[in-house]
Amino acid sequence: YPFCTIDPNVGIVEVPDSRLQKLTELVKPKKTVPTAFEFTDIAGIVKGASKGEGLGNKFLSHIREVDAIAHVVRCFDNDHITHVSGNVDPISDIETINLELILADLETVDKRLERVKKQAKQKDREAQLEYEALEKIKQAFEEDKPARNVELKEKEHQVVRGLHLLTMKPVLYVANVSEDELYQEEANDYVHRVRQYAEKENAEVIVVCAKIEEEIAELDDEERQAFLEEIGIPEAG
């Protein structure tokens, strides 16, 4: 639903791993700590976010703090659920977000280039290295490509890392489908188009049904297992 989330929701999820349980039984440590991920649920940004539209600056600052982006895109039709642009088009949604992130990064890069340019002219080697890396990234932005798609040497990566560019973060596209289409993703044209787009970025795509995930989250362990078996999804382990 558009404009319903202002502050991000944060959830910590432990990664289930049956191997860890077996190791615990063998070693018998005082404490077992499974791997955990912290997810920050950030509202979708709208066109003009990089200029502050729709609380864009605030949302962009939230994105800047994460290590990777899981971009959830709608891949189902439902007349009862509003879409901010009035029609379902996951590629348009992806391009809107990516463009706003690129524009925000372009502003960061331009400001940094102004500072580094003078030092680079004075034959400062590190400044020259950074200047060249920033020019490569800026050229990619002008071609609507994210910074993560730019081929940089290790030293170049190191000098631009401190800028915390939004488009340098790895992205996972999450295609949200309806319950009926969870097992028929091949027939879902929306999902097919998202996969094609992701291939160009060397990004991964996973298909989920958020409605089913919500139902699973509300069940206890025994009920969850029974529900997963009923719908044909194996328990993660």
Side-chain angles (χ1 to χ4, degrees), residues 22-38:
K22 290 178 181 178
L23 285 172
T24 300
E25 292 170 359
L26 289 170
V27 180
K28 294 183 172 54
K30 291 182 180 180
K31 187 177 182 181
T32 300
V33 182
T35 298
F37 282 93
E38 181 176 294

Side-chain angles (χ1 to χ4, degrees), residues 38-161:
E38 181 176 294
F39 286 89
T40 305
D41 180 17
I42 301 168
I45 55 179
V46 295
K47 188 175 181 180
S50 59
K51 302 299 180 184
E53 294 290 334
L55 295 178
N57 288 335
K58 188 174 182 180
F59 293 153
L60 289 170
S61 69
H62 294 322
I63 297 173
R64 204 174 297 279
E65 294 173 5
V66 303
D67 296 315
I69 300 170
H71 187 173
V72 183
V73 288
R74 178 172 166 180
C75 293
F76 66 91
D77 294 305
N78 188 322
D79 294 335
H80 300 293
I81 300 178
T82 306
H83 189 285
V84 66
S85 60
N87 65 299
V88 179
D89 186 345
I91 301 305
S92 176
D93 294 342
I94 289 171
E95 288 178 340
T96 295
I97 299 290
N98 284 352
L99 178 58
E100 292 305 320
L101 298 185
I102 285 172
L103 290 173
D105 278 352
L106 180 58
E107 186 176 348
T108 300
V109 167
D110 279 339
K111 286 180 180 178
R112 186 61 187 169
L113 273 170
E114 285 181 19
R115 295 179 186 176
V116 176
K117 190 173 183 179
K118 291 181 181 178
Q119 294 173 305
K121 285 183 177 179
Q122 294 170 358
K123 307 300 181 182
D124 183 313
R125 285 191 177 183
E126 189 168 334
Q128 287 177 330
L129 184 67
E130 183 176 359
Y131 185 81
E132 290 171 7
L134 291 173
E135 281 290 346
K136 288 181 187 178
I137 292 171
K138 182 175 180 177
Q139 184 178 349
F141 290 162
E142 291 171 350
E143 297 172 1
D144 293 336
K145 295 177 182 177
R148 60 181 169 273
N149 281 18
V150 180
E151 291 187 15
L152 297 175
K153 299 173 183 177
E154 181 57 33
K155 287 186 178 180
E156 290 176 324
H157 263 295
Q158 291 174 1
V159 295
V160 300
R161 194 170 291 157

